Amino acid sequence: MRIVPLISLVLFILCLSNPVQGQENIGKKLADVRSPEVAANNTVTFNLVAPQAKEVYVLGNWLSADSPGGDKLRMTKNADGLWTAKQATMGRDLYLYNFLVDGVRINDPLNVYQIRDVSNVFNYFITNGAQAELYKTHAVPHGTLTKVWYPSAINHGERRMSIYTPPGYEGSKKSYPVLYLLHGMGGDEEAWPSLGRVTQIMDNLIAAGQIVPMIVVMPNGHTSNSAAPGNSEKGEYPVEFRTPDVGTGEMESNFMEIINFAEKHYRIKKGKKNRAIAGLSMGGSHTMVISATYANTFDYVGLFSAAYRLTDAANIAVYDNFDQNLLQQKKNGTALYWIGMGKTDFLYKTGETYRKKLDEIGMKYSYYESEGGHTWSNWRDYLVKFSGLLFRN
Amino acid sequence: MRIVPLISLVLFILCLSNPVQGQENIGKKLADVRSPEVAANNTVTFNLVAPQAKEVYVLGNWLSADSPGGDKLRMTKNADGLWTAKQATMGRDLYLYNFLVDGVRINDPLNVYQIRDVSNVFNYFITNGAQAELYKTHAVPHGTLTKVWYPSAINHGERRMSIYTPPGYEGSKKSYPVLYLLHGMGGDEEAWPSLGRVTQIMDNLIAAGQIVPMIVVMPNGHTSNSAAPGNSEKGEYPVEFRTPDVGTGEMESNFMEIINFAEKHYRIKKGKKNRAIAGLSMGGSHTMVISATYANTFDYVGLFSAAYRLTDAANIAVYDNFDQNLLQQKKNGTALYWIGMGKTDFLYKTGETYRKKLDEIGMKYSYYESEGGHTWSNWRDYLVKFSGLLFRN
């Protein structure tokens, strides 16, 4: 007996409302145009409907002054006001882009996939094949991504971190080794999960049997904020690139509170041989200082395009004692001290000098030199390479 | 002894790179202009630098054809090419908007805060005071948000859900009651955490002592996808509003797999009196069908702007048996059967008819009629009101 009239699905979908209410405007006419279109051969086509615009470009992180056509890809307009540009076969990676429309940098209105990087929001797409497949979600068992707050002496309150636990974590009583993975000066606890594609990389490498299943702890390395923009008590503040906390030593001096929280609340195997730490850029500096300060704590250390020493200020113990701590770390030994650097990285010389320092004290390390510079493309790749070497002892 | 040259922080920040590489372009000149600016009295100013544009509007979800000035807020240009519009004192809420620049709908390039709603990406801001404060992150103890995959018979694989655990969950052995919270036709497992501000609402209400600390389980109600766009094995597919799964009964028929997973892997108090379920729109229909199908499982039921019956197809047991299941649910009794509906909701009449049905069978319910329509503004408010009534028995 149906005494209540059916909701007509058609009525439901046709229901029109305010044009900026998506859920509420579920009948919005769908654009016939798509952007971007990634072809099987990784040629990528960009589209924008903008009949009144005069000049439109694609700004892409694969473009530079050396690219054919320069650092912007010019789009051309057809009679319907549709702007189009085709990028000939690209590499296998995750790429970021924006449009430049009559001088205004905008997101692609047809692509909902976006990542915030510092104070910019970029659209992204992932091409096909090889390395790029590691960055996609596939039909493999999936790990869990958690945003959790831990008590911290730094902010006299709580700080937020991201934690990846491997597939099967919920279903077992097993313990796992742990990788502490640190972001750069422009990042926060969202950086590795978003730009770094950590859950996809870990899921895919575990499924392929190429890494040991591990927990990945991704804290926030900026001690002036308790969490990523929009997630702290500062609310939706304007996001700018200010780093009052770089070089204070607070992150490095208080790292044990992160380890203690993680090891207390997650099933993490104890002991040095089950602990790895790695970081990019500023996080690389954090990594070298933390791993030297707690000189018998990490068996695996990864420096990705690492900075070295973020301050010259005196009386900051973790920096002032770095040389002697490093000697102690050398004496205690590590299973792997891994350094990755791009040939055109602006920190290349810094890395060179640091490796010389290691040579002088006779500290062993593995060195991987890649093409390219100070880019997430490299850091994702370094994570793939580094994680495959972990916990093999 | 400092044998390695210091990284100059100045050099580091001034390092210039590709204009679409944020982390990599950490020295990008910051705009002096901000947008939006929310004043203490909740007047909001929008800014866009677009010297070449001819006509610019704000499209906001607080605007309609009945608004003074209509459904678009006209921006005006000054001599520097800065477009500005001021919106007189607004309510206390989270608001969504876009800009319309010479006919192209774009995101505000100066506001990194964005939420995807179906196939649209909107900028958002939160005004000040009262209800709006519940939607912000404050310096109170924070719960944890987890994205976890559970095994499902529906997709012959895994499906993704979001889970909120209350502050202190990690630090104790305590068990908590649970709220299953379902999204609408245009949503997925990201909808309640993003548009619904669940972690902020729960954290703030728990801190204020206004709700019983609870776990909130937010599954994905679209069975044709295993996860939200960009998080499934479909990759970065074009997001459109297609709902091949609405009205199949799959979500409702398989709901026990969600309960079983949650109760097995999280510290959830067992039994009907510790279980609540609520949903908006399509999720409201799911809620009424699920709570009737498993007729002695939930003591608290919440219908937010609920649809009723998503299909007329025959031989779908959960729909065909709904009336008798509802009678059984009435007989078993509920502590709270709560219905919220907006006065101008396009489903208003549907709700009226459903309430009449409940009256006819003598089933008790609480009814809350709000201003407004089929909006997240109402659903956030309903969550606040409903959650305060839970687990009081």
Side-chain angles (χ1 to χ4, degrees), chain A residues 356-377:
Chain A
K356 203 169 142 199
K357 180 186 179 80
L358 295 178
D359 291 337
E360 280 170 8
I361 65 169
M363 184 152 164
K364 282 187 191 139
Y365 58 88
S366 298
Y367 180 57
Y368 173 69
E369 193 166 289
S370 68
E371 299 301 317
H374 209 67
T375 64
W376 274 103
S377 178

Side-chain angles (χ1 to χ4, degrees), chain A residues 112-113 137-139 142, chain B residues 116 118-119 148-162 183-190 218-246 248 250-251 254 257-258 282 286:
Chain A
V112 301
Y113 298 109
T137 305
H138 290 287
H142 297 298
Chain B
R116 183 184 59 77
V118 195
S119 51
V148 65
W149 296 74
Y150 65 96
S152 171
I154 297 173
N155 304 76
H156 310 290
E158 293 182 306
R159 294 175 56 75
R160 193 166 175 260
M161 62 167 83
S162 301
H183 61 77
M185 198 181 284
D188 51 57
E189 77 276 16
E190 308 274 7
M218 295 160 276
N220 183 319
H222 281 301
T223 55
S224 53
N225 289 324
S226 63
N231 291 287
S232 80
E233 70 284 1
K234 292 182 183 175
E236 277 66 44
Y237 56 93
V239 177
E240 296 177 0
F241 195 79
R242 289 190 182 143
T243 54
D245 43 26
V246 173
T248 61
E250 283 183 313
M251 181 65 183
N254 291 279
E257 69 186 24
I258 291 170
M282 176 186 84
H286 285 164

Side-chain angles (χ1 to χ4, degrees), chain A residues 27-172:
Chain A
K28 169 177 174 290
K29 186 183 176 308
L30 300 169
D32 298 325
V33 181
R34 289 180 178 175
S35 181
E37 298 172 297
V38 180
N41 71 347
N42 288 338
T43 294
V44 181
T45 306
F46 302 89
N47 295 307
L48 176 73
V49 181
Q52 299 182 53
K54 294 212 184 65
E55 206 173 26
V56 182
Y57 296 93
V58 178
L59 303 173
N61 72 340
W62 63 93
L63 298 169
S64 71
D66 303 331
S67 302
D71 61 355
K72 297 193 285 284
L73 179 63
R74 185 182 287 273
M75 300 178 80
T76 54
K77 187 164 77 164
N78 74 6
D80 297 327
L82 172 69
W83 294 83
T84 298
K86 194 170 276 191
Q87 177 69 55
T89 306
M90 300 189 61
R92 292 159 172 181
D93 207 338
L94 180 153
Y95 294 98
L96 304 176
Y97 72 102
N98 282 157
F99 290 148
L100 187 68
V101 181
D102 293 341
V104 183
R105 186 153 67 91
I106 68 166
N107 291 118
D108 181 347
L110 295 175
N111 181 358
V112 301
Y113 298 109
Q114 306 192 351
I115 300 179
R116 182 185 59 77
D117 188 2
V118 195
S119 51
N120 297 293
V121 177
F122 300 109
N123 291 98
Y124 74 88
F125 60 92
I126 304 174
T127 53
N128 304 302
Q131 191 84 354
E133 296 303 319
L134 294 177
Y135 308 153
K136 297 177 183 172
T137 305
H138 290 287
V140 299
H142 297 298
T144 299
L145 185 66
T146 299
K147 307 286 163 119
V148 64
W149 296 73
Y150 64 96
S152 170
I154 298 173
N155 304 76
H156 309 290
E158 293 182 307
R159 294 175 56 75
R160 192 165 175 260
M161 62 166 85
S162 301
I163 296 192
Y164 168 87
T165 50
Y169 182 87
E170 283 79 18
S172 82

Side-chain angles (χ1 to χ4, degrees), chain A residues 191-247:
Chain A
W192 272 110
S194 59
L195 285 155
R197 304 296 283 181
V198 161
T199 62
Q200 290 83 4
I201 289 173
M202 291 287 128
D203 285 355
N204 291 325
L205 290 178
I206 290 170
Q210 291 177 15
I211 63 171
V212 174
M214 65 187 80
I215 290 172
V216 186
V217 175
M218 296 160 276
N220 183 320
H222 281 302
T223 55
S224 53
N225 288 324
S226 63
N231 291 287
S232 80
E233 69 283 2
K234 293 182 183 175
E236 277 67 44
Y237 56 93
V239 177
E240 297 178 1
F241 195 79
R242 290 190 181 142
T243 55
D245 43 26
V246 173

Side-chain angles (χ1 to χ4, degrees), chain B residues 27-312:
Chain B
K28 171 179 173 289
K29 186 183 177 310
L30 300 168
D32 298 325
V33 181
R34 289 179 178 175
S35 182
E37 298 172 298
V38 180
N41 72 347
N42 287 339
T43 293
V44 181
T45 306
F46 303 89
N47 294 307
L48 176 73
V49 181
Q52 299 182 55
K54 295 213 183 64
E55 205 174 26
V56 182
Y57 296 93
V58 179
L59 302 173
N61 72 340
W62 63 94
L63 298 169
S64 73
D66 303 331
S67 304
D71 60 356
K72 296 193 286 285
L73 178 64
R74 185 182 287 272
M75 300 178 80
T76 54
K77 186 164 77 162
N78 74 6
D80 297 327
L82 173 68
W83 294 82
T84 298
K86 195 170 275 192
Q87 176 71 55
T89 306
M90 300 188 61
R92 292 159 173 182
D93 207 339
L94 180 155
Y95 294 98
L96 304 176
Y97 72 102
N98 282 157
F99 289 148
L100 188 68
V101 181
D102 293 341
V104 182
R105 186 152 67 91
I106 68 166
N107 290 119
D108 181 348
L110 295 175
N111 181 358
V112 301
Y113 299 108
Q114 306 192 351
I115 301 179
R116 183 184 59 77
D117 189 3
V118 195
S119 51
N120 297 293
V121 177
F122 300 109
N123 290 100
Y124 74 88
F125 60 90
I126 305 175
T127 54
N128 303 302
Q131 192 83 352
E133 296 304 319
L134 293 177
Y135 308 152
K136 297 178 183 171
T137 304
H138 291 287
V140 298
H142 297 298
T144 299
L145 184 67
T146 299
K147 308 286 163 116
V148 65
W149 296 74
Y150 65 96
S152 171
I154 297 173
N155 304 76
H156 310 290
E158 293 182 306
R159 294 175 56 75
R160 193 166 175 260
M161 62 167 83
S162 301
I163 296 193
Y164 169 88
T165 50
Y169 182 87
E170 284 80 17
S172 82
K173 303 272 178 218
K174 250 184 89 173
S175 292
Y176 298 86
V178 62
L179 165 62
Y180 295 90
L181 191 57
L182 311 183
H183 61 77
M185 198 181 284
D188 51 57
E189 77 276 16
E190 308 274 7
W192 272 109
S194 59
L195 286 155
R197 303 296 283 182
V198 161
T199 62
Q200 290 83 5
I201 290 172
M202 291 287 127
D203 285 356
N204 291 325
L205 291 178
I206 289 170
Q210 290 177 16
I211 63 172
V212 174
M214 65 187 81
I215 291 172
V216 186
V217 175
M218 295 160 276
N220 183 319
H222 281 301
T223 55
S224 53
N225 289 324
S226 63
N231 291 287
S232 80
E233 70 284 1
K234 292 182 183 175
E236 277 66 44
Y237 56 93
V239 177
E240 296 177 0
F241 195 79
R242 289 190 182 143
T243 54
D245 43 26
V246 173
T248 61
E250 283 183 313
M251 181 65 183
E252 301 93 323
S253 312
N254 291 279
F255 202 76
M256 285 311 296
E257 69 186 24
I258 291 170
I259 295 181
N260 290 339
F261 179 86
E263 294 198 350
K264 186 168 174 196
H265 299 302
Y266 293 82
R267 297 196 312 274
I268 291 174
K269 284 185 182 171
K270 301 290 188 294
K272 179 180 177 179
K273 71 174 183 172
N274 296 304
R275 268 188 225 114
I277 185 167
L280 72 90
S281 195
M282 176 186 84
S285 179
H286 285 164
T287 295
M288 68 173 79
V289 172
I290 290 164
S291 70
T293 302
Y294 313 100
N296 208 22
T297 304
F298 303 95
D299 227 348
Y300 302 87
V301 177
L303 309 181
F304 302 174
S305 310
Y308 171 68
R309 289 187 66 94
L310 298 166
T311 182
D312 206 9

Side-chain angles (χ1 to χ4, degrees), chain B residues 368-379:
Chain B
Y368 173 70
E369 194 167 289
S370 68
E371 299 301 316
H374 210 65
T375 65
W376 274 103
S377 178
N378 272 339
W379 302 325

